[in-house]
Amino acid sequence: MGIQKRLVGSYFVVICLTVLILEIILNVSVRYYYFHNIEETLMNQAELSASFFQQYFGDQDLEEQSDRLLKGFASHSDAQVQIINVEGRLLQDSNGLQGDLTMTEYIDVQAAIKGQPGSWKGADPNTGEAIYAVSYPLQANGNIVGGVRFITSLTETIHTVKQITVLLIGVGIIVIGIVTLLGLLLSWTITRSIKDLKQAADQMTEGDFSIRVHKRYQDELGSLADTLNMMASRISKSEQLKNDFIASVSHELRTPLTSIKGWAITLKASEVSNQPLFYDGLDIIESESDRLTHMVDELLDFSKLDNGRIAVHFTSVDLTELLQHIGRQLTPRATRQGISLDVKIEEHLPVIQADENRVKQVMINLIDNSLKFTGSSGRIFITAHTVPGKVVISVEDTGSGIAETDLENVRQKFYKGDQQASGSGLGLSISEQIIKLHHGELRISSTLGKGTIVQFDLPIE
């Protein structure tokens, strides 16, 4: 069963139960109101008549004065009036019923001759018409001498109650119909958004991430549509980055492999006596093999980091010695490119707990990036200083810088702001993950055409 059917069905059941309960309460209340009013009216008339009798006829014989009493009682009421003696025998009736009838079969009469007011609802024994009767005791000198009985027809009242009941039922049906229509409309607005989401999700499962969900309302489903659209956008971007990465890696791998194969063919065809050419070829093959090894290691590191399988081994690390060693290691390359590489380290840097090989990997990645994007006569500065609780290490260059549009993306995996640059586009992503494993933070600031500053901090324990 679909969501719309479940929503409408549940809504319909709840509304029907609510309307049914209200109908029962209202109908019971209407019946009680009408019948209670009749009882109150008749009881007030009977009580007033009994009081009148006690005040003006209390010292006279009831049977002798019954005709006068009947005329007085009936003149002020539309109800049928009966005068009954203490034995329950009918003395007078305003409708002309013959006397000497025994009335003790009625519970209201039984109550009245015992000194208590009583009421009874039933059918007229002569006509079968629904009637309501109340009886009130008549007292004289503190003794019960009989009772006065008021009787009224319930035909009009029952008819009125039935009309009101039909009206209430009709209103209830109309309410159920209106609420059902509103429920259908509400469920349609909900399921329409859900259908949009499902259709978009189905297309995304087929690999079409260009689809976007139409946001119909500013609600939870609208927020879900925004999230799904954002996810599709990011997946599309990741797919593009992946494709660029594959193309880039294919190119990067092809270049050294072509060079290695070319030199292998050259060396194979050349004379062994040509020693300079032979050694030059071996140097190039060694260099390109190192380049391939570096790329493979970078891909392996990324795979481990992406799956959470990389481990860091903390040992005591002398940052001063480590940074100076890295500076000496990369200075020859910087010199060949005509770049000045300066290491400026604060004195007495503390010994920290870190994975020395991983920190070295981060530094080499950062300096390698600076060397790639810094032209001849440029400068690279490696600095380190302490702040409360941590050591801040910076690599600053005077290179080409990073465009503002690329700055927030350069740490994403596979991203390469300059598509012509060599490398896999994983260096910064790997470096940031390594710094996070050391409970530090990597920050990048850059100005296009002026240079870039990359900072990271390592905690002092």
Side-chain angles (χ1 to χ4, degrees), residues 147-164:
V148 59
R149 191 179 193 220
F150 283 78
I151 306 168
T152 188
S153 171
L154 294 178
T155 302
E156 289 296 326
T157 303
I158 292 173
H159 179 68
T160 301
V161 170
K162 285 182 177 179
Q163 284 183 325
I164 295 174

Side-chain angles (χ1 to χ4, degrees), residues 44-283:
N44 287 337
Q45 291 177 351
E47 184 179 3
L48 184 62
S49 299
S51 177
F52 177 81
F53 169 80
Q54 185 176 1
Q55 184 174 0
Y56 296 104
F57 293 89
D59 57 349
Q60 299 183 35
D61 184 76
L62 175 64
E63 189 169 348
E64 293 178 358
Q65 300 297 328
S66 60
D67 186 57
R68 291 178 61 191
L69 288 173
L70 178 65
K71 291 178 181 179
F73 294 161
S75 64
H76 299 290
S77 175
D78 295 329
Q80 179 184 354
V81 182
Q82 294 177 337
I83 307 297
I84 303 166
N85 67 9
V86 72
E87 287 83 18
R89 183 169 56 86
L90 177 65
L91 300 177
Q92 294 290 337
D93 184 281
S94 62
N95 282 0
L97 287 178
Q98 295 180 356
D100 296 330
L101 292 177
T102 302
M103 308 294 292
T104 53
E105 60 185 281
Y106 300 105
I107 59 174
D108 60 310
V109 175
Q110 295 173 12
I113 60 180
K114 290 180 182 179
Q116 298 292 331
S119 61
W120 172 81
K121 184 173 67 173
D124 189 303
N126 297 317
T127 63
E129 183 182 15
I131 59 174
Y132 198 94
V134 298
S135 298
Y136 206 91
L138 296 176
Q139 296 184 11
N141 300 319
N143 298 317
I144 305 299
V145 296
V148 59
R149 191 179 193 220
F150 283 78
I151 306 168
T152 188
S153 171
L154 294 178
T155 302
E156 289 296 326
T157 303
I158 292 173
H159 179 68
T160 301
V161 170
K162 285 182 177 179
Q163 284 183 325
I164 295 174
T165 300
V166 170
L167 178 63
L168 290 175
I169 292 174
V171 171
I173 292 173
I174 292 173
V175 169
I176 291 175
I178 292 173
V179 172
T180 302
L181 289 176
L182 291 175
L184 286 169
L185 178 62
L186 176 63
S187 64
W188 178 72
T189 60
I190 294 173
T191 54
R192 183 171 63 162
S193 297
I194 294 175
K195 286 178 181 177
D196 290 343
L197 290 168
K198 183 181 181 301
Q199 289 174 357
D202 288 341
Q203 289 184 258
M204 289 179 188
T205 57
E206 297 297 326
D208 181 9
F209 296 104
S210 62
I211 188 69
R212 293 294 180 268
V213 184
H214 176 58
K215 183 178 179 180
R216 298 183 182 275
Y217 308 102
Q218 296 290 341
D219 56 7
E220 288 80 359
L221 291 175
S223 299
L224 182 58
D226 288 338
T227 302
L228 196 62
N229 289 336
M230 186 181 299
M231 181 190 72
S233 177
R234 290 183 177 178
I235 291 176
S236 297
K237 191 173 184 179
S238 296
E239 286 291 311
Q240 183 60 44
L241 289 173
K242 182 194 73 174
N243 293 335
D244 293 343
F245 166 74
I246 292 173
S248 175
V249 167
S250 299
H251 172 74
E252 294 293 332
L253 291 175
R254 188 182 297 111
T255 301
L257 287 172
T258 301
S259 180
I260 291 172
K261 183 177 180 180
W263 275 100
I265 294 172
T266 300
L267 293 177
K268 185 177 179 181
S270 65
E271 297 292 336
V272 180
S273 60
N274 190 348
Q275 294 294 329
L277 178 65
F278 183 77
Y279 285 111
D280 285 345
L282 290 179
D283 289 339

Side-chain angles (χ1 to χ4, degrees), residues 303-317:
S303 176
K304 291 179 181 178
L305 282 166
D306 203 41
N307 291 292
R309 293 185 291 107
I310 196 168
V312 290
H313 304 285
F314 290 92
T315 58
S316 297
V317 177

